[in-house]
Amino acid sequence: MADLDEQARKELFLRYKKKIEEQVGQPMDIKEEPEVSYSQAYEIFRKEQIGVSHTLFENFCNSAEKTLKITLKESDIEKIQPALDMAHIRATPQGVYAFATITTLLSVIVSFIIGLLLGNIMILVAGMLAAVSMFFVIPSIPKRIFMSWRAKAGDQIILAVLYMIIYMEHTPNLELATWFAAKHLPPPLSLDFIKVLWDVETKKYTNITAALEDYIESWRGWDDAFIESIHVMETSLIAETKQERLKTLEKAEEIILDGTFDKMMGFAHNLQSPIETVHMLGTVLPVMGLVMLPMVSAFMGSAVKWWHLALMYNILLPLSVYAISKSVLSVRPAGANPADVYLHLTEKYSRPKIPPKIVGFGAASLVAVPAILYFILHFPTGTEAFATMPLLFSVMLIASIGVGIGVYYGYKVHTVIKIKKKIMHIEEEFSSAIFQLGSKIGEGVPVEAAFSSVIDAMPKADVTDFFRLIDRNIREEGMSLKDAIFDEKNGALAYYPSAIIKSVMQTLVEAAKKSPEIAASSLITISRYLVNAHRVNERLQDLLADTTSSMAMQIKMFAPVICGIVVGLSALTTSILSNLG
């Protein structure tokens, strides 16, 4: 009987859906429920979005737990379990600590054996210290994965709220709105949303409101505007009229946009100190070290080895700069979903007639040939090796490597750089363009025809090139709106792969499926956000102008000059000491 009722319900739904489509004149992209269960969807999403390193860490922890059984205190479990859950790591705290213990023991044994075989106490001590540090580093890996995951998810917060609002403006159903956002969001936030639905299906929570409430609480302190916006969306479900519901949803839009703007401004103000630290470690300290190198090499030659300098300059300093930069970016406010524009443009545009490797090698050879001929014909020995001519030709050999690398990359990406600059210019004009597009759609112009209206209104703007591609694909190629924008071969985004433009166009396509009014409202809202983002970017550049200009000046002018002075001082010191000897 239940099966018959279910079948009758579905037939009734399909009948009314077909009737609505005939009245509206276009297919309705409204599904009563997902094509698969939330559990199946979660497994599919997780398989697609989890990386190799993520899976390896899970396997190591699970294997270690089978090998070594560990009992943990409740406080230790509470520290690590939330990170495991939020990062979608299928491992237990006991498995993580078992992996850390086994790794530490193996590292101690290996370092002890190597130290004894080589008879070097320093290797033994360093190995022991590294082994002990493993016991503290490995349990922190879930938190690091979670932090990286959350930073990427933070870029998609605004898009997630807009997708939910777009759906709820048409159908006031929180569960289906969450599913709609999960389907159209990029990873990793899509996996978080489908996990919320999975928790409801597996009866971890009684309803979607409870599951969503528990999830958004994990954003407390990260993005409070997101939490408040979801709460306002929930209140729209109890609105008595459609007008009240739409007004409440508009309030949710304002909260997430204004909150993001405030957070971006705070981030801009707090960024000056980290940038100055990166400046000191990445520019000033290496330059100061170069000044000291002649004296260090002259008077402490036997005590300071070449690998000491390599360790400091090529490993420790870059790692320190990377760690500071990573920590700063991990707390950046929400923005557009990042995309690897360089790789995309390289595949599409960077196909020079002459292979870049040949051009780079040729440039390096032209610089290096005189030095090579000099050393072949007259290789200096003894004190003659420290004379001026061998020094100059040695510098020429090293310079040839830099020239070759520079010419290789410059020749390889010169076309890509031009396209990238044009995309950046389009992004600057995009806020006003989509505002006009939203206004035209709001006046009753069909979405497909609104692009030509914007082209006529902004004929000389670079953004119209992007809109012309969409308009041409629709009118001449007969493509749908989605294909005209997102087709991998001929879509407009194939020529202008901007993360910001892609996010806005995704919102437009999905909103247009609901109604032109929703599409117009969404575009105008996003336009306001892009204007605010541009204001923050200008403010950020103003705050950091002194530091960034100082960095650019030191890197372009002072560092090469100081390097030349250092080479001259090294030659002079070496010559004096060799004559005295």
Side-chain angles (χ1 to χ4, degrees), residues 69-113:
K69 300 296 182 182
I70 290 181
T71 303
L72 297 177
K73 294 185 294 185
E74 192 66 28
S75 59
D76 293 331
I77 295 176
E78 292 176 356
K79 287 180 182 178
I80 197 172
Q81 188 65 56
L84 292 173
D85 293 337
M86 296 306 300
H88 305 274
I89 300 174
R90 288 180 173 173
T92 63
Q94 290 83 355
V96 175
Y97 276 97
F99 177 41
T101 304
I102 292 174
T103 304
T104 300
L105 292 174
L106 291 176
S107 301
V108 168
I109 295 171
V110 171
S111 61
F112 184 76
I113 293 173

Side-chain angles (χ1 to χ4, degrees), residues 369-415:
V369 162
I372 294 173
L373 291 176
Y374 172 80
F375 287 115
I376 291 175
L377 298 175
H378 183 71
F379 192 81
T381 57
T383 57
E384 187 183 358
F386 301 102
T388 303
M389 290 302 294
L391 176 65
L392 292 177
F393 282 114
S394 299
V395 172
M396 189 177 292
L397 277 177
I398 297 173
S400 67
I401 299 174
V403 170
I405 294 173
V407 171
Y408 166 75
Y409 283 108
Y411 180 71
K412 183 179 180 180
V413 302
H414 71 281
T415 304

Side-chain angles (χ1 to χ4, degrees), residues 355-476:
K357 292 182 179 179
I358 295 178
V359 175
F361 181 77
S365 300
L366 289 176
V367 179
V369 162
I372 294 173
L373 291 176
Y374 172 80
F375 287 115
I376 291 175
L377 298 175
H378 183 71
F379 192 81
T381 57
T383 57
E384 187 183 358
F386 301 102
T388 303
M389 290 302 294
L391 176 65
L392 292 177
F393 282 114
S394 299
V395 172
M396 189 177 292
L397 277 177
I398 297 173
S400 67
I401 299 174
V403 170
I405 294 173
V407 171
Y408 166 75
Y409 283 108
Y411 180 71
K412 183 179 180 180
V413 302
H414 71 281
T415 304
V416 175
I417 291 174
K418 292 180 181 178
I419 301 296
K420 175 60 178 174
K421 289 181 178 178
K422 186 172 183 179
I423 291 175
M424 293 173 65
H425 195 215
I426 289 176
E427 290 176 348
E428 293 177 358
E429 301 172 344
F430 201 59
S431 59
S432 60
I434 63 171
F435 180 83
Q436 293 193 41
L437 185 65
S439 299
K440 293 293 182 182
I441 297 173
E443 292 172 2
V445 179
V447 177
E448 291 79 3
F451 291 100
S452 60
S453 300
V454 178
I455 293 171
D456 294 337
M458 306 173 63
K460 296 184 179 180
D462 286 340
V463 71
T464 55
D465 293 339
F466 176 74
F467 284 171
R468 281 193 186 96
L469 284 174
I470 300 175
D471 188 59
R472 188 197 66 187
N473 288 339
I474 293 173
R475 294 177 182 273
E476 299 179 10

Side-chain angles (χ1 to χ4, degrees), residues 337-369:
N337 179 42
D340 199 337
V341 177
Y342 170 75
L343 288 178
H344 183 94
L345 291 177
T346 300
E347 293 176 359
K348 195 167 188 67
Y349 292 103
S350 187
R351 295 178 181 175
K353 297 180 181 179
I354 305 175
K357 292 182 179 179
I358 295 178
V359 175
F361 181 77
S365 300
L366 289 176
V367 179
V369 162

Side-chain angles (χ1 to χ4, degrees), residues 11-25:
E11 289 179 358
L12 185 64
F13 171 78
L14 293 174
R15 188 189 312 161
Y16 275 94
K17 178 174 179 286
K18 184 176 181 181
K19 186 176 181 180
I20 293 172
E21 287 177 351
E22 292 175 355
Q23 293 176 351
V24 174

